[in-house]
Amino acid sequence: MGLSSPTEAEASATEAQPQTGASQTGLRRSMEARHLVMIAMGGVIGSGLFVSSGYTISTAGPLGAVIAFLIGAVVVYLVMACLGELAVAFPVSGAFHIYAARTIGPATGFATAWLYWLCWAVALGSEFTAAGLLMQRWFPGVDVWIWCFIFATVLFTLNAISSRVFGESEFWFALIKVAAVVGLIILGGAALAGFHPLAAGGYPSFGENFSTPEGLFPNGFTGVFVTCLAVFYAFSGSELIGVAAGETANPGANIPKAMRTTVIRLMIFFVGAIVVIAATIPYEQVSVDESPFVTVFSMLGIPYAADIMNFVIITALLSAGNCGLFSCARMLFSLADEGHAPKAFRKLTKRGIPMVALCVSMLGGLASLISSVVAPATVYLVLVSVAGFATVGVWMSIVASHFIYRRTFIKNGGDLSTLPYKAPLFPLVPILAFALCLVSLIGIAFDPNQVAALLFGVPFVGACYAIFYFKYGRRRSLKKAVAA
């Protein structure tokens, strides 16, 4: 399939992106490589690492959890390599669906955009609710909804001022989380090596907990297989670099630099943290009831460890919400630019902020917040699994778009040396990434805790294709018939 020629909406989107400097009509190119790295880090380091890693270790076992996170790191590298080439070729804000629309087809672009928007909009309410619940540790007399309102107001304000303020705020949000992960790796690693002066009683040595009574894989290798989606969800957010591409100064240099830096840091932080946690806590004692980070710091004997990590986890949730709100607004802006959402979402403030899209995205988060408060706990688990499904679906769209884009570029006589950035080992990278993502979706069919993602996600994607066809597809067919 060849690249589709840019539509008028796509052309206007490109024109709205100034090549240098600021513009009064388009989104501003005001973020540097360091902002992109921290946006990606902030979007990734969240409850998936701080909390859900307990589920991965208990299900896959210590060694299985490390293998699962290594697989996740490899997949992130493959996806980011493909994303890097596309983001430089199409530096448009909220650009995931534009990649798919120009390469696979407009219906796929439409489905990708709405799937990704829904994922973050629903997650917003969950992030606010979780943060509000954690605040009750210190302020038990204050209702959760009050904290949710305060957090929502703060994040909305940060996003409404300017993209640079968003980038700066996320830089510092993410820095706190990175410090916590680095602290866990250094202090936990030192303790496993024998240096634990504050720890009470015996402390496990490195490798002691990896050999379990049931063997290296206590639940069999199937445990690794079924946790892949949860691990991929833990890595979700790295693709936010592509969303922010349109507001990046000098995308040809900054985007590839941010991609490489992000992948290297994620591999060190995530795999390193999981190795320390799995080696420290017996797999049968770890769960999602308490953050493994809190458990490790408590075992180290660090004073006020629970309070310190409670603060860090709240920061992690707010950081993820900050990234989610940014992503939602830019995705709606981009959809409107394509003519696939109301034109009002294209309106920008004098500072270049899509305010209407931002407000609607916040309303979506608040609506899901209400649902998460009144619905049973099982609904929350379903929402989390659906978010993982949406993330993997978007990754598959990215790598498929890159595969088609590169093949078409070569077929049309393009010179690879002229590309500012190109993914290595084509076509192995996109094919392997797509296959691994597909395997993770197949795997959740065998996990009763996650199978709901397929039962909801597949019909939702099908509905997006149906809506596009009935609302836009027939209109385009009619225009072609009239033109003929």
PDB file of all heavy atoms in Angstrom, residues 215-245:
ATOM      1  N   GLY A 215      11.124 -24.059  41.764  1.00  0.00           N
ATOM      2  CA  GLY A 215      12.020 -23.925  40.633  1.00  0.00           C
ATOM      3  C   GLY A 215      12.188 -22.470  40.214  1.00  0.00           C
ATOM      4  O   GLY A 215      11.683 -21.540  40.853  1.00  0.00           O
ATOM      5  N   LEU A 216      12.910 -22.255  39.104  1.00  0.00           N
ATOM      6  CA  LEU A 216      13.159 -20.893  38.631  1.00  0.00           C
ATOM      7  C   LEU A 216      11.880 -20.209  38.165  1.00  0.00           C
ATOM      8  O   LEU A 216      11.755 -18.984  38.251  1.00  0.00           O
ATOM      9  CB  LEU A 216      14.183 -20.920  37.491  1.00  0.00           C
ATOM     10  CG  LEU A 216      15.607 -21.346  37.874  1.00  0.00           C
ATOM     11  CD1 LEU A 216      16.494 -21.389  36.635  1.00  0.00           C
ATOM     12  CD2 LEU A 216      16.194 -20.391  38.912  1.00  0.00           C
ATOM     13  N   PHE A 217      10.922 -20.989  37.653  1.00  0.00           N
ATOM     14  CA  PHE A 217       9.644 -20.435  37.199  1.00  0.00           C
ATOM     15  C   PHE A 217       8.521 -21.127  37.983  1.00  0.00           C
ATOM     16  O   PHE A 217       7.979 -22.141  37.529  1.00  0.00           O
ATOM     17  CB  PHE A 217       9.462 -20.642  35.693  1.00  0.00           C
ATOM     18  CG  PHE A 217      10.553 -20.018  34.868  1.00  0.00           C
ATOM     19  CD1 PHE A 217      11.611 -20.790  34.400  1.00  0.00           C
ATOM     20  CD2 PHE A 217      10.535 -18.669  34.574  1.00  0.00           C
ATOM     21  CE1 PHE A 217      12.626 -20.215  33.646  1.00  0.00           C
ATOM     22  CE2 PHE A 217      11.548 -18.087  33.818  1.00  0.00           C
ATOM     23  CZ  PHE A 217      12.595 -18.864  33.353  1.00  0.00           C
ATOM     24  N   PRO A 218       8.169 -20.608  39.163  1.00  0.00           N
ATOM     25  CA  PRO A 218       7.208 -21.280  40.042  1.00  0.00           C
ATOM     26  C   PRO A 218       5.846 -21.520  39.418  1.00  0.00           C
ATOM     27  O   PRO A 218       5.161 -22.487  39.766  1.00  0.00           O
ATOM     28  CB  PRO A 218       7.104 -20.334  41.245  1.00  0.00           C
ATOM     29  CG  PRO A 218       7.642 -19.029  40.767  1.00  0.00           C
ATOM     30  CD  PRO A 218       8.660 -19.353  39.741  1.00  0.00           C
ATOM     31  N   ASN A 219       5.431 -20.673  38.495  1.00  0.00           N
ATOM     32  CA  ASN A 219       4.145 -20.851  37.814  1.00  0.00           C
ATOM     33  C   ASN A 219       4.332 -21.265  36.355  1.00  0.00           C
ATOM     34  O   ASN A 219       3.428 -21.113  35.533  1.00  0.00           O
ATOM     35  CB  ASN A 219       3.320 -19.555  37.878  1.00  0.00           C
ATOM     36  CG  ASN A 219       2.909 -19.214  39.302  1.00  0.00           C
ATOM     37  OD1 ASN A 219       2.528 -20.095  40.067  1.00  0.00           O
ATOM     38  ND2 ASN A 219       2.996 -17.946  39.661  1.00  0.00           N
ATOM     39  N   GLY A 220       5.514 -21.786  36.059  1.00  0.00           N
ATOM     40  CA  GLY A 220       5.810 -22.166  34.685  1.00  0.00           C
ATOM     41  C   GLY A 220       6.104 -20.945  33.834  1.00  0.00           C
ATOM     42  O   GLY A 220       5.919 -19.794  34.257  1.00  0.00           O
ATOM     43  N   PHE A 221       6.574 -21.178  32.615  1.00  0.00           N
ATOM     44  CA  PHE A 221       6.879 -20.051  31.728  1.00  0.00           C
ATOM     45  C   PHE A 221       5.613 -19.344  31.274  1.00  0.00           C
ATOM     46  O   PHE A 221       5.667 -18.233  30.767  1.00  0.00           O
ATOM     47  CB  PHE A 221       7.671 -20.532  30.505  1.00  0.00           C
ATOM     48  CG  PHE A 221       8.467 -19.434  29.867  1.00  0.00           C
ATOM     49  CD1 PHE A 221       9.654 -18.998  30.451  1.00  0.00           C
ATOM     50  CD2 PHE A 221       8.035 -18.820  28.705  1.00  0.00           C
ATOM     51  CE1 PHE A 221      10.389 -17.977  29.868  1.00  0.00           C
ATOM     52  CE2 PHE A 221       8.759 -17.797  28.120  1.00  0.00           C
ATOM     53  CZ  PHE A 221       9.941 -17.369  28.707  1.00  0.00           C
ATOM     54  N   THR A 222       4.448 -19.989  31.496  1.00  0.00           N
ATOM     55  CA  THR A 222       3.180 -19.342  31.178  1.00  0.00           C
ATOM     56  C   THR A 222       3.003 -18.079  31.998  1.00  0.00           C
ATOM     57  O   THR A 222       2.392 -17.103  31.542  1.00  0.00           O
ATOM     58  CB  THR A 222       2.004 -20.304  31.457  1.00  0.00           C
ATOM     59  OG1 THR A 222       2.210 -21.506  30.734  1.00  0.00           O
ATOM     60  CG2 THR A 222       0.686 -19.680  31.043  1.00  0.00           C
ATOM     61  N   GLY A 223       3.554 -18.084  33.210  1.00  0.00           N
ATOM     62  CA  GLY A 223       3.474 -16.890  34.053  1.00  0.00           C
ATOM     63  C   GLY A 223       4.135 -15.695  33.406  1.00  0.00           C
ATOM     64  O   GLY A 223       3.665 -14.559  33.535  1.00  0.00           O
ATOM     65  N   VAL A 224       5.243 -15.941  32.720  1.00  0.00           N
ATOM     66  CA  VAL A 224       5.923 -14.861  31.989  1.00  0.00           C
ATOM     67  C   VAL A 224       5.062 -14.412  30.816  1.00  0.00           C
ATOM     68  O   VAL A 224       4.914 -13.213  30.540  1.00  0.00           O
ATOM     69  CB  VAL A 224       7.298 -15.336  31.488  1.00  0.00           C
ATOM     70  CG1 VAL A 224       8.010 -14.222  30.730  1.00  0.00           C
ATOM     71  CG2 VAL A 224       8.139 -15.825  32.651  1.00  0.00           C
ATOM     72  N   PHE A 225       4.477 -15.378  30.137  1.00  0.00           N
ATOM     73  CA  PHE A 225       3.671 -15.108  28.936  1.00  0.00           C
ATOM     74  C   PHE A 225       2.484 -14.193  29.247  1.00  0.00           C
ATOM     75  O   PHE A 225       2.244 -13.210  28.555  1.00  0.00           O
ATOM     76  CB  PHE A 225       3.199 -16.447  28.369  1.00  0.00           C
ATOM     77  CG  PHE A 225       2.407 -16.347  27.098  1.00  0.00           C
ATOM     78  CD1 PHE A 225       2.940 -15.773  25.967  1.00  0.00           C
ATOM     79  CD2 PHE A 225       1.119 -16.853  27.045  1.00  0.00           C
ATOM     80  CE1 PHE A 225       2.210 -15.693  24.783  1.00  0.00           C
ATOM     81  CE2 PHE A 225       0.380 -16.786  25.875  1.00  0.00           C
ATOM     82  CZ  PHE A 225       0.928 -16.201  24.742  1.00  0.00           C
ATOM     83  N   VAL A 226       1.755 -14.516  30.333  1.00  0.00           N
ATOM     84  CA  VAL A 226       0.522 -13.765  30.618  1.00  0.00           C
ATOM     85  C   VAL A 226       0.790 -12.405  31.239  1.00  0.00           C
ATOM     86  O   VAL A 226      -0.099 -11.544  31.271  1.00  0.00           O
ATOM     87  CB  VAL A 226      -0.421 -14.569  31.532  1.00  0.00           C
ATOM     88  CG1 VAL A 226      -0.814 -15.877  30.895  1.00  0.00           C
ATOM     89  CG2 VAL A 226       0.197 -14.795  32.912  1.00  0.00           C
ATOM     90  N   THR A 227       2.011 -12.170  31.737  1.00  0.00           N
ATOM     91  CA  THR A 227       2.304 -10.874  32.348  1.00  0.00           C
ATOM     92  C   THR A 227       2.888  -9.873  31.354  1.00  0.00           C
ATOM     93  O   THR A 227       3.123  -8.720  31.709  1.00  0.00           O
ATOM     94  CB  THR A 227       3.304 -11.033  33.505  1.00  0.00           C
ATOM     95  OG1 THR A 227       4.500 -11.669  33.030  1.00  0.00           O
ATOM     96  CG2 THR A 227       2.707 -11.851  34.639  1.00  0.00           C
ATOM     97  N   CYS A 228       3.090 -10.297  30.110  1.00  0.00           N
ATOM     98  CA  CYS A 228       3.701  -9.400  29.121  1.00  0.00           C
ATOM     99  C   CYS A 228       2.883  -8.130  28.914  1.00  0.00           C
ATOM    100  O   CYS A 228       3.435  -7.031  28.814  1.00  0.00           O
ATOM    101  CB  CYS A 228       3.889 -10.128  27.783  1.00  0.00           C
ATOM    102  SG  CYS A 228       5.362 -11.169  27.723  1.00  0.00           S
ATOM    103  N   LEU A 229       1.542  -8.260  28.862  1.00  0.00           N
ATOM    104  CA  LEU A 229       0.722  -7.063  28.646  1.00  0.00           C
ATOM    105  C   LEU A 229       0.866  -6.108  29.825  1.00  0.00           C
ATOM    106  O   LEU A 229       0.962  -4.884  29.629  1.00  0.00           O
ATOM    107  CB  LEU A 229      -0.741  -7.428  28.443  1.00  0.00           C
ATOM    108  CG  LEU A 229      -1.639  -6.230  28.098  1.00  0.00           C
ATOM    109  CD1 LEU A 229      -1.343  -5.741  26.686  1.00  0.00           C
ATOM    110  CD2 LEU A 229      -3.110  -6.591  28.226  1.00  0.00           C
ATOM    111  N   ALA A 230       0.880  -6.635  31.044  1.00  0.00           N
ATOM    112  CA  ALA A 230       1.045  -5.784  32.222  1.00  0.00           C
ATOM    113  C   ALA A 230       2.393  -5.077  32.189  1.00  0.00           C
ATOM    114  O   ALA A 230       2.510  -3.900  32.559  1.00  0.00           O
ATOM    115  CB  ALA A 230       0.914  -6.613  33.503  1.00  0.00           C
ATOM    116  N   VAL A 231       3.420  -5.775  31.729  1.00  0.00           N
ATOM    117  CA  VAL A 231       4.750  -5.168  31.619  1.00  0.00           C
ATOM    118  C   VAL A 231       4.756  -4.103  30.529  1.00  0.00           C
ATOM    119  O   VAL A 231       5.313  -3.012  30.710  1.00  0.00           O
ATOM    120  CB  VAL A 231       5.814  -6.245  31.334  1.00  0.00           C
ATOM    121  CG1 VAL A 231       7.155  -5.602  31.007  1.00  0.00           C
ATOM    122  CG2 VAL A 231       5.948  -7.182  32.528  1.00  0.00           C
ATOM    123  N   PHE A 232       4.129  -4.395  29.385  1.00  0.00           N
ATOM    124  CA  PHE A 232       4.057  -3.400  28.318  1.00  0.00           C
ATOM    125  C   PHE A 232       3.312  -2.165  28.803  1.00  0.00           C
ATOM    126  O   PHE A 232       3.666  -1.028  28.469  1.00  0.00           O
ATOM    127  CB  PHE A 232       3.354  -3.978  27.088  1.00  0.00           C
ATOM    128  CG  PHE A 232       4.159  -5.035  26.366  1.00  0.00           C
ATOM    129  CD1 PHE A 232       3.612  -5.729  25.301  1.00  0.00           C
ATOM    130  CD2 PHE A 232       5.452  -5.332  26.752  1.00  0.00           C
ATOM    131  CE1 PHE A 232       4.337  -6.698  24.625  1.00  0.00           C
ATOM    132  CE2 PHE A 232       6.192  -6.305  26.092  1.00  0.00           C
ATOM    133  CZ  PHE A 232       5.630  -6.993  25.029  1.00  0.00           C
ATOM    134  N   TYR A 233       2.253  -2.382  29.603  1.00  0.00           N
ATOM    135  CA  TYR A 233       1.521  -1.243  30.161  1.00  0.00           C
ATOM    136  C   TYR A 233       2.425  -0.436  31.084  1.00  0.00           C
ATOM    137  O   TYR A 233       2.343   0.793  31.133  1.00  0.00           O
ATOM    138  CB  TYR A 233       0.282  -1.719  30.919  1.00  0.00           C
ATOM    139  CG  TYR A 233      -0.444  -0.601  31.636  1.00  0.00           C
ATOM    140  CD1 TYR A 233      -1.125   0.374  30.913  1.00  0.00           C
ATOM    141  CD2 TYR A 233      -0.435  -0.513  33.018  1.00  0.00           C
ATOM    142  CE1 TYR A 233      -1.781   1.404  31.560  1.00  0.00           C
ATOM    143  CE2 TYR A 233      -1.092   0.511  33.671  1.00  0.00           C
ATOM    144  CZ  TYR A 233      -1.759   1.472  32.938  1.00  0.00           C
ATOM    145  OH  TYR A 233      -2.401   2.498  33.578  1.00  0.00           O
ATOM    146  N   ALA A 234       3.310  -1.118  31.825  1.00  0.00           N
ATOM    147  CA  ALA A 234       4.249  -0.418  32.696  1.00  0.00           C
ATOM    148  C   ALA A 234       5.172   0.492  31.891  1.00  0.00           C
ATOM    149  O   ALA A 234       5.608   1.535  32.370  1.00  0.00           O
ATOM    150  CB  ALA A 234       5.070  -1.421  33.506  1.00  0.00           C
ATOM    151  N   PHE A 235       5.484   0.084  30.649  1.00  0.00           N
ATOM    152  CA  PHE A 235       6.341   0.887  29.781  1.00  0.00           C
ATOM    153  C   PHE A 235       5.555   1.919  28.971  1.00  0.00           C
ATOM    154  O   PHE A 235       6.160   2.708  28.242  1.00  0.00           O
ATOM    155  CB  PHE A 235       7.110  -0.018  28.806  1.00  0.00           C
ATOM    156  CG  PHE A 235       8.323  -0.668  29.403  1.00  0.00           C
ATOM    157  CD1 PHE A 235       8.295  -1.997  29.809  1.00  0.00           C
ATOM    158  CD2 PHE A 235       9.504   0.037  29.552  1.00  0.00           C
ATOM    159  CE1 PHE A 235       9.410  -2.612  30.347  1.00  0.00           C
ATOM    160  CE2 PHE A 235      10.634  -0.567  30.092  1.00  0.00           C
ATOM    161  CZ  PHE A 235      10.586  -1.896  30.497  1.00  0.00           C
ATOM    162  N   SER A 236       4.229   1.891  29.060  1.00  0.00           N
ATOM    163  CA  SER A 236       3.428   2.827  28.263  1.00  0.00           C
ATOM    164  C   SER A 236       3.710   4.263  28.690  1.00  0.00           C
ATOM    165  O   SER A 236       3.933   4.543  29.860  1.00  0.00           O
ATOM    166  CB  SER A 236       1.934   2.531  28.424  1.00  0.00           C
ATOM    167  OG  SER A 236       1.512   2.775  29.754  1.00  0.00           O
ATOM    168  N   GLY A 237       3.700   5.150  27.737  1.00  0.00           N
ATOM    169  CA  GLY A 237       4.027   6.548  27.983  1.00  0.00           C
ATOM    170  C   GLY A 237       5.277   6.968  27.236  1.00  0.00           C
ATOM    171  O   GLY A 237       5.477   8.149  26.952  1.00  0.00           O
ATOM    172  N   SER A 238       6.134   5.997  26.903  1.00  0.00           N
ATOM    173  CA  SER A 238       7.345   6.325  26.144  1.00  0.00           C
ATOM    174  C   SER A 238       6.995   6.921  24.788  1.00  0.00           C
ATOM    175  O   SER A 238       7.746   7.737  24.243  1.00  0.00           O
ATOM    176  CB  SER A 238       8.208   5.069  25.967  1.00  0.00           C
ATOM    177  OG  SER A 238       7.458   4.025  25.374  1.00  0.00           O
ATOM    178  N   GLU A 239       5.829   6.544  24.254  1.00  0.00           N
ATOM    179  CA  GLU A 239       5.418   7.055  22.945  1.00  0.00           C
ATOM    180  C   GLU A 239       4.972   8.512  22.988  1.00  0.00           C
ATOM    181  O   GLU A 239       4.689   9.109  21.943  1.00  0.00           O
ATOM    182  CB  GLU A 239       4.284   6.190  22.382  1.00  0.00           C
ATOM    183  CG  GLU A 239       2.951   6.325  23.094  1.00  0.00           C
ATOM    184  CD  GLU A 239       2.900   5.598  24.424  1.00  0.00           C
ATOM    185  OE1 GLU A 239       3.734   4.704  24.654  1.00  0.00           O
ATOM    186  OE2 GLU A 239       2.029   5.936  25.239  1.00  0.00           O
ATOM    187  N   LEU A 240       4.915   9.122  24.189  1.00  0.00           N
ATOM    188  CA  LEU A 240       4.505  10.529  24.299  1.00  0.00           C
ATOM    189  C   LEU A 240       5.466  11.466  23.575  1.00  0.00           C
ATOM    190  O   LEU A 240       5.107  12.596  23.256  1.00  0.00           O
ATOM    191  CB  LEU A 240       4.407  10.933  25.776  1.00  0.00           C
ATOM    192  CG  LEU A 240       3.148  10.448  26.502  1.00  0.00           C
ATOM    193  CD1 LEU A 240       3.286  10.664  27.994  1.00  0.00           C
ATOM    194  CD2 LEU A 240       1.920  11.163  25.973  1.00  0.00           C
ATOM    195  N   ILE A 241       6.689  11.016  23.317  1.00  0.00           N
ATOM    196  CA  ILE A 241       7.622  11.823  22.533  1.00  0.00           C
ATOM    197  C   ILE A 241       7.015  12.123  21.165  1.00  0.00           C
ATOM    198  O   ILE A 241       7.133  13.222  20.630  1.00  0.00           O
ATOM    199  CB  ILE A 241       8.977  11.110  22.380  1.00  0.00           C
ATOM    200  CG1 ILE A 241       9.717  11.114  23.726  1.00  0.00           C
ATOM    201  CG2 ILE A 241       9.836  11.783  21.321  1.00  0.00           C
ATOM    202  CD1 ILE A 241      11.049  10.409  23.684  1.00  0.00           C
ATOM    203  N   GLY A 242       6.328  11.136  20.594  1.00  0.00           N
ATOM    204  CA  GLY A 242       5.684  11.344  19.298  1.00  0.00           C
ATOM    205  C   GLY A 242       4.545  12.338  19.381  1.00  0.00           C
ATOM    206  O   GLY A 242       4.306  13.108  18.453  1.00  0.00           O
ATOM    207  N   VAL A 243       3.800  12.346  20.500  1.00  0.00           N
ATOM    208  CA  VAL A 243       2.700  13.297  20.665  1.00  0.00           C
ATOM    209  C   VAL A 243       3.229  14.716  20.723  1.00  0.00           C
ATOM    210  O   VAL A 243       2.627  15.653  20.204  1.00  0.00           O
ATOM    211  CB  VAL A 243       1.900  12.969  21.947  1.00  0.00           C
ATOM    212  CG1 VAL A 243       0.818  14.006  22.189  1.00  0.00           C
ATOM    213  CG2 VAL A 243       1.267  11.589  21.833  1.00  0.00           C
ATOM    214  N   ALA A 244       4.385  14.902  21.385  1.00  0.00           N
ATOM    215  CA  ALA A 244       4.949  16.240  21.573  1.00  0.00           C
ATOM    216  C   ALA A 244       5.848  16.677  20.417  1.00  0.00           C
ATOM    217  O   ALA A 244       6.425  17.759  20.468  1.00  0.00           O
ATOM    218  CB  ALA A 244       5.752  16.277  22.875  1.00  0.00           C
ATOM    219  N   ALA A 245       5.962  15.855  19.369  1.00  0.00           N
ATOM    220  CA  ALA A 245       6.894  16.159  18.283  1.00  0.00           C
ATOM    221  C   ALA A 245       6.626  17.508  17.640  1.00  0.00           C
ATOM    222  O   ALA A 245       7.551  18.219  17.250  1.00  0.00           O
ATOM    223  CB  ALA A 245       6.822  15.057  17.218  1.00  0.00           C
TER     224      ALA A 245
END
